[in-house]
Amino acid sequence: MELDERKLIILKTIIKNYLETGEPVGSRTISKFSGLNLSSATIRNEMSDLEEMGYILQPHTSAGRIPSDKGYRFYVDSIMEDSDRRISEATGLMVQRVDKLEMLLKQLVKLLAVDTNYAALISGPSLSKNKIKYLQLSSPSERKLLLILVLEGNIIKNEVISIDEDLDQETILNLTVLINNCISGLSLKDISPKMITTLMVQSGGHGETVKAVIDSVEDMIETDMDSREIFTSGATNFFKYPELSDVEKASKLISAFEEKESLKELVEEVSSQSLEKDGEQGSLQVYLGGEGPIRNMQDCSLVTANYELGDGMRGVIGVIGPKRMDYEKVMGTMQNLISQLNKAYKDNDEKR
């Protein structure tokens, strides 16, 4: 016996309705939502065939059907190919069109929420190991330097520095070249005191200015490490699931989801656990109910993974939904998104 088009439509209707309601699905529901113009008797016969083939189960004699593990597997395999293609195309286009990482992450978290039908979050990357691409110095006014710092991933920071001397444009250009030749391609931890001392000596009497620039670079990166943003999307998806849609329960969930400090704690915990396990990019962690680090989310499951763009741009991606979450689809979608994001980001960065 094979899965013909009619059986396939009925199987997908059963799985989709069960994922949405958590209730066994009967012939009337299938007749209403499948789009098939079939009698209830015919639908029941097809359901019997699907049960015999192992794709669905009947939990009680008088109940409708629910998907079996085999049914879930078939469903996941059939939809993952389409999901992979859409995510691949969307991620590639986003990376090509968006220069700033922040805007890219905002768009990606929306894509993840829509594709999984759950709530999603993405943290901005920690810059602890991120490399410096280059810096640019200019003078907006007397005894002031405008420092523009560009990090790997085209993350741009800027700051105005007060200095104790007046510099002409040629000197500013020479100092810019000198500093770039020394620190370009290095992460913050690679900039040693000895290196700074050497730069100060080579600066031709402008050592204090050079030190002020390096101090600013360090402050900008460290400040960003302590205040990285977390982007969220899909909070209203909680209302789609009966076990989470109670007004009080949903309100607590949404409140917890929008509380950025709690989410930062979550990101730090996921990041630290990943580092302890020497987690590679895309490695998954699943928190079931009370295992999660966020209060008021005991009725949910949380699937997280770390991503890394370039050398050291590490962040966290997560999906939050009911305990009966479609784990295989969520995990597959997250891993594919991370893979496509990394590939598209590398390809685009090489073209710049």
Side-chain angles (χ1 to χ4, degrees):
M1 198 180 301
E2 295 182 356
L3 269 179
D4 56 30
E5 184 177 356
R6 192 158 73 181
K7 286 184 175 64
L8 181 59
I9 292 172
I10 290 174
L11 176 59
K12 287 185 175 181
T13 302
I14 292 173
I15 294 174
K16 287 181 179 179
N17 275 271
Y18 181 71
L19 289 176
E20 289 177 3
T21 67
E23 299 291 334
V25 182
S27 58
R28 289 184 180 180
T29 300
I30 294 171
S31 178
K32 182 179 179 180
F33 292 103
S34 67
L36 296 173
N37 187 21
L38 301 173
S39 66
S40 293
T42 300
I43 292 174
R44 284 194 292 270
N45 286 336
E46 295 286 5
M47 291 168 72
S48 295
D49 289 344
L50 286 169
E51 187 175 358
E52 185 179 336
M53 296 165 73
Y55 288 105
I56 57 176
L57 304 169
Q58 189 173 22
H60 307 290
T61 306
S62 59
R65 269 49 166 210
I66 65 173
S68 66
D69 289 347
K70 181 179 178 180
Y72 274 129
R73 167 50 60 194
F74 182 86
Y75 178 72
V76 168
D77 288 346
S78 66
I79 63 176
M80 279 308 298
E81 183 177 350
D82 181 60
S83 175
D84 286 352
R85 189 189 73 253
R86 286 187 290 109
I87 287 178
S88 176
E89 292 173 354
T91 305
L93 287 173
M94 285 178 191
V95 173
Q96 290 172 23
R97 295 174 180 174
V98 180
D99 289 327
K100 287 192 175 181
L101 181 62
E102 177 180 318
M103 294 300 297
L104 174 63
L105 294 178
K106 285 180 180 178
Q107 293 187 31
L108 286 176
V109 76
K110 290 180 182 178
L111 173 65
L112 183 59
V114 169
D115 195 79
T116 61
N117 222 21
Y118 302 124
L121 66 90
I122 295 179
S123 77
S126 167
L127 305 182
S128 59
K129 293 188 285 185
N130 199 16
K131 292 181 179 179
I132 297 166
K133 291 186 75 171
Y134 63 89
L135 59 81
Q136 181 66 48
L137 297 174
S138 62
S139 180
S141 60
E142 291 184 359
R143 302 206 170 192
K144 299 285 185 183
L145 282 180
L146 171 61
L147 165 62
I148 298 175
L149 178 67
V150 182
L151 302 171
E152 194 173 58
N154 293 313
I155 297 174
I156 301 172
K157 306 290 178 184
N158 60 78
E159 185 173 296
V160 175
I161 308 168
S162 296
I163 57 176
D164 295 328
E165 59 179 334
D166 293 322
L167 300 175
D168 57 37
Q169 291 301 316
E170 183 179 357
T171 302
I172 292 173
L173 177 60
N174 289 337
L175 290 178
T176 300
V177 173
L178 174 68
I179 297 171
N180 274 318
N181 285 341
C182 183
I183 70 172
S184 179
L186 302 181
S187 64
L188 185 60
K189 65 181 180 63
D190 295 325
I191 302 176
S192 66
K194 182 179 179 181
M195 188 180 299
I196 297 172
T197 301
T198 301
L199 269 177
M200 293 174 68
V201 171
Q202 293 175 342
S203 67
H206 303 291
E208 290 304 314
T209 296
V210 168
K211 186 175 186 306
V213 171
I214 299 298
D215 286 346
S216 270
V217 169
E218 293 177 344
D219 288 344
M220 290 161 75
I221 295 176
E222 287 175 348
T223 299
D224 196 275
M225 285 163 54
D226 294 334
S227 60
R228 57 175 165 167
E229 291 193 66
I230 297 175
F231 308 102
T232 60
S233 184
T236 55
N237 285 338
F238 290 129
F239 291 102
K240 295 181 179 180
Y241 304 96
E243 63 267 47
L244 303 178
S245 62
D246 171 83
V247 175
E248 182 178 354
K249 189 177 293 185
S251 297
K252 287 182 178 180
L253 281 172
I254 292 175
S255 177
F257 191 62
E258 293 178 345
E259 176 52 57
K260 291 300 191 286
E261 287 306 314
S262 296
L263 295 183
K264 284 182 180 179
E265 291 178 13
L266 163 66
V267 167
E268 291 306 318
E269 177 169 326
V270 172
S271 298
S272 61
Q273 287 188 12
S274 176
L275 289 173
E276 287 173 6
K277 298 176 182 177
D278 197 24
E280 297 180 352
Q281 172 180 268
S283 59
L284 294 161
Q285 299 181 70
V286 180
Y287 300 87
L288 300 173
E291 295 175 358
I294 302 178
R295 290 186 303 170
N296 297 326
M297 286 195 174
Q298 290 87 349
D299 296 310
C300 296
S301 286
L302 168 65
V303 182
T304 65
N306 59 76
Y307 70 83
E308 186 168 345
L309 305 177
D311 183 12
M313 292 175 56
R314 180 184 289 265
V316 171
I317 182 172
V319 171
I320 303 169
K323 292 179 182 177
R324 60 184 174 92
M325 179 191 292
D326 190 341
Y327 294 98
E328 288 179 294
K329 180 178 187 297
V330 168
M331 291 178 180
T333 298
M334 289 173 64
Q335 288 180 319
N336 184 53
L337 187 148
I338 291 170
S339 174
Q340 295 298 334
L341 173 61
N342 188 50
K343 180 180 182 299
Y345 209 90
K346 278 186 176 178
D347 290 346
N348 196 58
D349 199 43
E350 288 172 359
K351 295 175 184 177
R352 293 181 189 274

